[in-house]
Amino acid sequence: MKNQLNRPPEPGEDELLPVRPNREVPPGGPRVGLALGAGAARGLAHLAVLQEMEAAGIAIHAISGSSAGALVAAIYACGTDLHWAMRLGESLSWEHLVRVTVPRLGFLDAERLLQLVRLLTRNRSFEQTRIPLYILATDIENGQEVVLHEGNVAEAVRASVAIPGVFVPYRLGGRLLVDGGVLNRVPVQILRDVGMDVVIGVDVSTAAVPPVRVTNVLGVILQTIEIMEHEVFRHRSSGADILIRPDLEGLSAADFHQAAELYRRGREAARQAIPAIKALLEAGRGAKEQPSGPSQAVS
């Protein structure tokens, strides 16, 4: 396994990937849902948040994700070892995930990413995941939010990460799909709809749109999407009982080379939030998030 930790796995290696122990979810008590938000490279912080929640003994009964959050949610739901995934994250670059294509619907072809996700999720279907998984995408042709929860997990992730104008959209189930974060950055409501008693959200955006030096057309598109998603989320309550917001100031959506720092900040935010999560679970019920309530938003 040593050689597999500094590069994406090759076809046929999925059976060798480390598997997370399959812990039984204790019966009784509140059912907990975890919603992981969009953020491209900043989504690596989700891995550290999940690792800390596992270490604290907090059981997750269902998980949802948009864009980068969809990728991490899928990895978790399919049982891939989190420590291994974090080691892989430290070696990722755009070159591992995409190739430049002749622009028609997007500049980058994410076929490499799709193959990597197939391996990381063992090419499982939604029916084969350890816990229920819900992935958010956006129908670019009619502007509707789409919840993906059937069929192949990797294909759903590929649709959800398709940043408009950057990645080629993905056609699935007769729809042309792009980034779920366009409409729903932190997909909390779907977990309410399927009966979760307590919903925890993880938002890996920054408090303000980070200033970046834009030097090419891809930079223009990425920064435009960042501004749009930030404004949508700013005017929309997350609806989470507890919203974890790692302090990711100074880290951009393209900073894959900052994986260790993203993990550190994600871990720190999770540790700060865990006492509030445990208290909420002890109380046995979820309390609706108050936008100005300091006890509900943890950053």
Side-chain angles (χ1 to χ4, degrees):
M1 289 303 301
K2 184 176 181 180
N3 291 337
Q4 297 178 31
L5 295 176
N6 57 15
R7 60 168 173 79
E10 298 291 340
E13 291 179 341
D14 55 318
E15 293 183 0
L16 302 177
L17 300 185
V19 178
R20 201 173 67 254
N22 194 3
R23 300 175 182 173
E24 292 293 326
V25 175
R31 291 171 54 79
V32 179
L34 182 66
L36 304 181
R42 290 196 298 261
L44 290 171
H46 290 312
L47 290 167
V49 170
L50 278 164
Q51 195 175 57
E52 290 300 316
M53 292 182 69
E54 277 208 335
I58 297 170
I60 305 300
H61 298 77
I63 193 166
S64 65
S66 282
S67 197
L71 173 56
V72 176
I75 289 172
Y76 185 80
C78 290
T80 299
D81 179 73
L82 292 175
H83 178 72
W84 187 90
M86 292 171 76
R87 290 286 301 277
L88 176 62
E90 292 176 344
S91 70
L92 284 181
S93 67
W94 287 107
E95 289 75 18
H96 288 135
L97 305 177
V98 298
R99 66 179 177 85
V100 178
T101 185
V102 177
R104 186 169 73 90
L105 297 178
F107 283 92
L108 301 178
D109 180 353
E111 180 63 24
R112 293 176 185 171
L113 173 61
L114 176 58
Q115 295 308 316
L116 176 60
V117 179
R118 286 193 193 281
L119 289 165
L120 294 177
T121 60
R122 294 169 174 78
N123 207 26
R124 290 184 176 178
S125 68
F126 281 87
E127 293 73 24
Q128 295 172 313
T129 58
R130 289 187 177 183
I131 59 174
L133 169 66
Y134 303 91
I135 289 177
L136 274 288
T138 302
D139 187 323
I140 194 64
E141 295 179 321
N142 63 22
Q144 293 181 349
E145 178 180 298
V146 179
V147 179
L148 301 169
H149 57 94
E150 296 178 341
N152 184 266
V153 170
E155 291 191 44
V157 171
R158 166 63 181 87
S160 187
V161 302
I163 302 169
V166 177
F167 293 125
V168 175
Y170 196 73
R171 189 166 290 281
L172 189 62
R175 295 175 179 261
L176 192 63
L177 302 177
V178 297
D179 195 323
V182 170
L183 291 178
N184 196 340
R185 188 171 192 123
V186 184
V188 166
Q189 187 57 47
I190 180 59
L191 297 175
R192 297 274 185 217
D193 294 343
V194 298
M196 296 299 105
D197 303 305
V198 172
V199 179
I200 302 161
V202 186
D203 177 21
V204 292
S205 65
T206 52
V209 176
V212 298
R213 181 175 174 78
V214 176
T215 59
N216 53 50
V217 67
L218 294 181
V220 170
I221 296 171
L222 283 171
Q223 187 70 349
T224 300
I225 296 295
E226 180 82 21
I227 293 167
M228 291 171 59
E229 290 185 2
H230 187 273
E231 284 301 299
V232 169
F233 192 71
R234 188 168 69 87
H235 293 287
R236 174 180 182 176
S237 171
S238 74
D241 296 301
I242 292 178
L243 184 64
I244 301 174
R245 286 188 174 122
D247 177 7
L248 301 179
E249 296 301 322
L251 296 168
S252 81
D255 281 345
F256 282 108
H257 63 285
Q258 295 277 16
E261 181 64 14
L262 287 161
Y263 296 153
R264 185 187 71 79
R265 298 196 196 185
R267 188 174 291 112
E268 184 177 87
R271 288 174 178 170
Q272 292 176 3
I274 282 169
I277 295 171
K278 287 187 171 181
L280 188 58
L281 297 181
E282 277 295 315
R285 62 183 178 83
K288 190 69 175 174
E289 178 193 6
Q290 300 297 319
S292 60
S295 63
Q296 282 82 37
V298 183
S299 58

